């Protein structure tokens, strides 16, 4: 009963380095999301996906790329890390909305990945 | 677009005290409203939700009523415990698509024995 698993849990990078965060879910959810959490700012959506092979930009997409080659995985990449990307990153997933307000999503979150960029 | 505003924290209470965390929203129509909770070192998890006006969501002794007249969804608990210490987030779907949630800035609750 793993739910949503994120790897790695912690990472320290130097400015300009690249890295990929992996998110895996075992609930057969169609939708997946990457959020970042910063003090006093709550969660902000970076990118999301509504199905295998599809991705879309969220509120703060600059400096990040994503891929969803398999339904269960959603990768978040930083091509050239910057100190402003120091944050805690959360992946989440949800099932397809089945119409109307009563079908609004309930998100299942991973435990988070803490990234520090020096 | 849709948005939520939460009271700033931290909120510090003694065990068995009454809790209120304020949340107000701006939205087109009457979307579902949510409270999520984040315990230390963990991801967020759904605490409760309300899907239409005047609905009351409840879970683990927490309650919140969807009030369209005041555009509010305040979180309440009659008697808090130390184990309730966490960060609480109010959320609602985005205007353009119901599957994207917009979160408030979070309110940290610290309950002292």
């Amino acid at each position: 009963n793993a739910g949503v698993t994120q790897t790695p849990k912690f990472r320290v990078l130097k400015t300009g380095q690249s890295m990929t965060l992996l998110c895996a879910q075992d609930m057969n959810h169609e939708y997946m999301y990457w959020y970042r959490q910063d003090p006093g700012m709550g969660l902000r959506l970076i990118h999301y996906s509504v199905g295998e092979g599809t991705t879309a930009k969220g509120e703060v997409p600059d400096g990040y790329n994503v891929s969803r080659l398999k339904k269960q995985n959603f990768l978040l990449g930083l091509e050239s890390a910057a100190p402003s990307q120091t944050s805690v990153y959360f992946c989440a997933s949800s099932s397809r909305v089945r119409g109307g307000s009563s079908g609004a999503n309930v998100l299942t979150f991973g435990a988070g990945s803490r990234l520090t960029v020096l | 677009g849709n948005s939520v505003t939460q009271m700033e924290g931290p909120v510090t209470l003694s065990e068995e005290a009454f809790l209120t965390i304020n949340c107000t929203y701006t939205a087109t129509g009457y979307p579902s409203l949510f409270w999520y909770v984040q315990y230390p070192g963990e991801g967020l998890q759904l605490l409760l939700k309300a899907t239409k006006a005047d609905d009351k969501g409840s879970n683990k002794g927490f309650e919140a009523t969807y009030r369209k007249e005041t555009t509010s969804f305040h979180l309440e608990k009659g008697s808090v415990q130390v184990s309730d210490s966490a960060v609480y987030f109010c959320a609602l779907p985005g205007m353009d698509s119901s599957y994207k949630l917009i979160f408030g800035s979070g309110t940290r609750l610290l309950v002292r024995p």
Side-chain angles (χ1 to χ4, degrees):
Chain A
N1 195 23
V4 177
T5 303
Q6 294 182 228
T7 53
K9 289 185 168 48
F10 302 94
R11 183 73 187 269
V12 178
L13 290 178
K14 294 181 180 178
T15 297
Q17 288 185 318
S18 63
M19 75 158 296
T20 299
L21 297 176
L22 171 63
C23 176
Q25 54 95 3
D26 62 0
M27 297 168 286
N28 202 34
H29 282 169
E30 289 85 1
Y31 302 158
M32 296 187 74
Y33 315 82
W34 277 107
Y35 286 88
R36 59 178 289 174
Q37 183 180 28
D38 301 293
M41 302 186 73
L43 274 76
R44 292 180 292 170
L45 183 63
I46 305 171
H47 286 281
Y48 64 98
S49 168
V50 300
E52 182 179 321
T54 72
T55 63
K57 295 179 180 180
E59 183 185 359
V60 288
D62 294 342
Y64 305 94
N65 56 76
V66 288
S67 64
R68 182 115 181 253
L69 299 180
K70 295 183 178 180
K71 185 177 183 179
Q72 64 268 33
N73 295 338
F74 195 30
L75 278 64
L76 177 71
L78 286 72
E79 291 186 346
S80 179
S84 61
Q85 294 177 304
T86 294
S87 187
V88 180
Y89 292 85
F90 286 98
C91 178
S93 69
S94 63
S95 57
R96 187 185 302 277
V97 174
R98 286 175 173 79
S101 61
S102 62
N105 273 322
V106 172
L107 273 61
T108 300
F109 281 83
S113 298
R114 183 176 295 275
L115 174 65
T116 301
V117 183
L118 302 176
Chain B
N2 294 356
S3 65
V4 290
T5 302
Q6 287 182 239
M7 62 184 290
E8 289 192 18
V11 174
T12 303
L13 296 173
S14 297
E15 204 164 23
E16 299 183 0
F18 184 86
L19 168 71
T20 300
I21 299 178
N22 291 339
C23 171
T24 57
Y25 67 90
T26 301
T28 302
Y30 302 104
S32 295
L33 301 174
F34 304 83
W35 277 102
Y36 278 76
V37 59
Q38 183 181 29
Y39 298 104
E42 299 183 9
L44 281 71
Q45 56 186 273
L46 179 68
L47 179 60
L48 54 83
K49 68 176 182 178
T51 57
K52 60 182 185 294
D54 299 324
D55 261 6
K56 177 184 285 188
S58 62
N59 186 25
K60 299 182 180 180
F62 290 89
E63 293 183 339
T65 301
Y66 190 159
R67 301 198 186 278
K68 64 179 181 180
E69 299 84 3
T70 54
T71 62
S72 65
F73 192 54
H74 303 324
L75 182 69
E76 297 180 334
K77 187 174 185 182
S79 176
V80 294
Q81 306 300 313
V82 172
S83 57
D84 294 327
S85 297
V87 182
Y88 294 83
F89 293 89
C90 188
L92 81 171
M95 186 175 66
D96 57 339
S97 49
S98 60
Y99 48 81
K100 292 189 292 182
L101 286 186
I102 296 171
F103 290 88
S105 57
T107 303
R108 182 176 298 278
L109 170 65
L110 177 60
V111 181
R112 301 191 182 280

